[in-house]
């Protein structure tokens, strides 16, 4: 009855180990919906990587609210990616020594050190993302302030780079130059979205720096072939042209079947873009052929025997209605159909790790 993520366990674990082996200092990122796997499962898998002696000492979460989800399932350090702000509630004292804060403004550094003089932290340097981060000048001031707080544990500089086509090397070189100038004892760079070649080149150019790649997507979701998403067919209704169905009292444009499948808005199943070319001429041509998209049916992420099917109406909360025109093979109640999802926006009813 479920929207199910089925994981080929041996293949997925082999991929995780491969990424860990080729990225020393790896910082697995577990945030949001846990890339579809849940935060708890990613924390356990991170522990598994460490237990297998990979160089993984820190797990990153997105927010302070996510700390409890991972802290009991993973024994190492936890980096919080969202920068600390004065309005963040103090971390549970039992956890405080394991938490590494991200500090992205000089004033916040001052406030954090006042509240927690022995805080562990990384200083975030601004990048072309323009999301969070200090300028070189602020970092310099931060270095001066930190020299007056010997109890603070500064774990490095953090950079969040855009996902981009071109090279990041010029930008990272500029930032590391400004980091060295800040004289804040920063010798570790926590980085995102660098290619393996860029990491290699940076390690060669900056031998005094240790690079720690924060990786989420290409770690957990990097081998899509190990993952399969399916929904259950819950009901099948034959319809004739003109039959009424659904919440909105739509009529079937031609004969076929209305299918009810598991998965709806609560799982993150959304409407897809209308199919094909939507120019007036194209719509007229589709209409002439009796195309269903021309009468307002939109593409769904469900496919049956390799053919992507149309929603009969917008997804419901936990189920969706599809229209399968006459002539196509009709699945039976209980059959599984494939679903294409955005893993970072999907909540599965069940996650089955096989093997
Ligand atoms: C989400 C995030 C990452 C990981 O990004 P992926 O594209 O999933 O690898 C790294 N750093 C920061 C600051 C992030 O917010």
């Amino acid at each position: 009855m479920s929207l199910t993520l089925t994981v080929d366990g041996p293949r997925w674990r082999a991929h995780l180990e491969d990424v860990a082996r080729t990225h020393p200092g790896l910082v697995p990122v577990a945030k949001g919906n846990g890339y579809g796997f849940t935060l708890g499962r990613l924390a356990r898998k991170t522990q598994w990587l460490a237990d297998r002696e990979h160089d993984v000492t820190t797990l990153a979460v997105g927010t302070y609210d996510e700390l409890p989800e991972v802290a009991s399932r993973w024994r190492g350090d936890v980096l919080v990616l969202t920068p600390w702000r004065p309005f963040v509630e103090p971390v549970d004292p039992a956890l405080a020594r394991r938490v590494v804060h991200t500090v992205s403004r000089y004033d916040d550094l001052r406030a954090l050190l006042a509240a927690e003089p022995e805080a562990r932290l990384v200083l975030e340097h601004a990048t072309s993302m323009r999301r969070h981060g200090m300028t070189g000048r602020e970092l310099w001031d931060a270095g001066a302030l930190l020299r007056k707080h010997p109890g603070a544990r500064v774990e490095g500089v953090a950079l969040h780079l855009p996902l981009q086509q071109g090279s990041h090397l010029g930008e990272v070189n500029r930032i590391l130059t400004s980091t060295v100038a800040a004289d804040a004892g920063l010798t570790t760079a926590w980085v995102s979205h660098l290619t393996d070649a860029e990491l290699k080149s940076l390690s060669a150019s900056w031998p005094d720096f240790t690079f720690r790649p924060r990786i989420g997507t290409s770690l957990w979701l990097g081998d899509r072939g190990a993952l399969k998403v399916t929904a259950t067919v819950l009901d099948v209704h034959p319809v004739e042209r003109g039959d009424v169905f659904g919440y909105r009292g739509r009529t079937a444009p031609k004969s076929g079947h209305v299918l009810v499948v598991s998965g709806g808005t609560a799982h993150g199943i959304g409407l897809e873009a209308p199919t094909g070319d939507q120019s007036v001429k194209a719509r007229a041509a589709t209409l002439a052929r009796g195309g269903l998209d021309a009468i307002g049916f939109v593409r769904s992420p469900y496919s049956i025997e390799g053919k992507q099917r149309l929603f009969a109406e917008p997804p419901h909360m936990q189920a969706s209605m599809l229209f399968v025109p006459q002539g196509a093979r009709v699945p039976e109640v209980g059959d599984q159909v494939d679903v294409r999802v955005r893993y970072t926006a999907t909540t599965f009813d069940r996650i089955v790790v096989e093997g």
Side-chain angles (χ1 to χ4, degrees):
M1 309 287 276
S2 317
L3 186 69
T4 304
L5 168 61
T6 305
V7 182
D8 175 339
R11 183 169 167 173
W12 190 52
R13 290 190 296 269
H15 169 74
L16 301 183
E17 289 211 88
D18 192 45
V19 175
R21 200 177 308 111
T22 51
H23 297 81
L26 171 69
V27 180
V29 175
K31 64 183 179 188
N33 70 341
Y35 293 81
F37 297 96
T38 72
L39 296 175
R41 184 182 297 273
L42 298 189
R44 284 199 303 273
K45 271 289 162 281
T46 302
Q47 187 61 52
W48 175 81
L49 285 171
D51 290 345
R52 291 177 67 89
E53 316 220 316
H54 292 287
D55 179 14
V56 177
T57 60
T58 309
L59 167 68
V61 292
T63 65
Y64 285 90
D65 294 318
E66 290 168 344
L67 283 171
E69 285 293 306
V70 304
S72 58
R73 298 174 171 101
W74 153 250
R75 290 194 294 276
D77 294 339
V78 188
L79 169 71
V80 182
L81 297 170
T82 301
W84 185 87
R85 293 286 186 253
F87 45 79
V88 166
E89 282 183 30
V91 170
D92 175 354
L95 258 182
R97 298 316 293 158
R98 291 168 61 198
V99 171
V100 180
H101 304 281
T102 297
V103 179
S104 71
R105 302 186 304 176
Y106 176 81
D107 289 345
D108 291 342
L109 179 64
R110 220 174 32 201
L112 175 61
L113 292 177
E116 210 187 314
E118 297 185 349
R120 299 176 66 184
L121 58 101
V122 294
L123 296 175
E124 181 162 5
H125 196 297
T127 67
S128 54
M129 281 273 288
R130 290 190 191 284
R131 194 164 80 171
H132 303 297
M134 301 188 200
T135 59
R137 172 67 215 224
E138 270 186 289
L139 201 68
W140 197 88
D141 289 341
L145 182 62
L146 282 163
R147 282 192 289 282
K148 295 185 207 144
H149 286 84
R153 283 173 63 187
V154 187
E155 313 266 351
V157 64
L159 331 172
H160 193 34
L161 296 156
L163 292 159
Q164 70 178 32
Q165 292 72 39
S167 168
H168 290 106
L169 288 179
E171 176 164 20
V172 178
N173 282 321
R174 275 195 305 282
I175 291 173
L176 291 182
T177 303
S178 126
T179 299
V180 171
D183 195 19
L186 301 166
T187 54
T188 299
W190 305 64
V191 294
S192 63
H193 302 146
L194 291 174
T195 64
D196 292 356
E198 286 172 332
L199 272 170
K200 197 159 164 229
S201 157
L202 287 163
S203 300
S205 324
W206 299 88
D208 296 340
F209 269 89
T210 303
F211 290 88
R212 306 204 55 186
R214 298 181 309 246
I215 307 180
T217 307
S218 63
L219 175 65
W220 310 117
L221 300 172
D223 183 2
R224 295 296 165 103
L227 311 174
K228 186 174 162 66
V229 180
T230 52
T232 312
V233 175
L234 301 173
D235 225 329
V236 178
H237 305 289
V239 287
E240 296 299 330
R241 181 193 161 102
D243 283 353
V244 177
F245 65 87
Y247 277 129
R248 290 145 212 258
R250 275 191 154 176
T251 50
K254 50 177 164 177
S255 62
H257 288 81
V258 169
L259 258 53
V260 184
V261 292
S262 53
T265 54
H267 302 88
I269 298 287
L271 288 172
E272 302 261 304
T275 49
D277 182 347
Q278 286 302 294
S279 69
V280 173
K281 204 168 145 197
R283 281 177 63 93
T286 325
L287 260 177
R289 284 198 311 273
L292 296 167
D293 48 347
I295 49 108
F297 279 13
V298 300
R299 193 148 54 180
S300 86
Y302 296 86
S303 51
I304 300 169
E305 293 187 337
K307 182 147 176 45
Q308 198 176 1
R309 287 301 173 192
L310 300 172
F311 278 122
E313 72 169 357
H316 305 169
M317 192 150 170
Q318 293 182 304
S320 295
M321 293 179 102
L322 309 178
F323 185 77
V324 178
Q326 201 71 58
R329 195 192 73 85
V330 181
E332 290 178 22
V333 171
D335 282 358
Q336 298 292 305
V337 298
D338 293 324
V339 196
R340 198 165 41 72
V341 298
R342 268 181 71 197
Y343 289 87
T344 51
T346 307
T347 307
F348 298 102
D349 295 309
R350 281 162 36 97
I351 300 172
V352 179
V353 180
E354 291 182 333

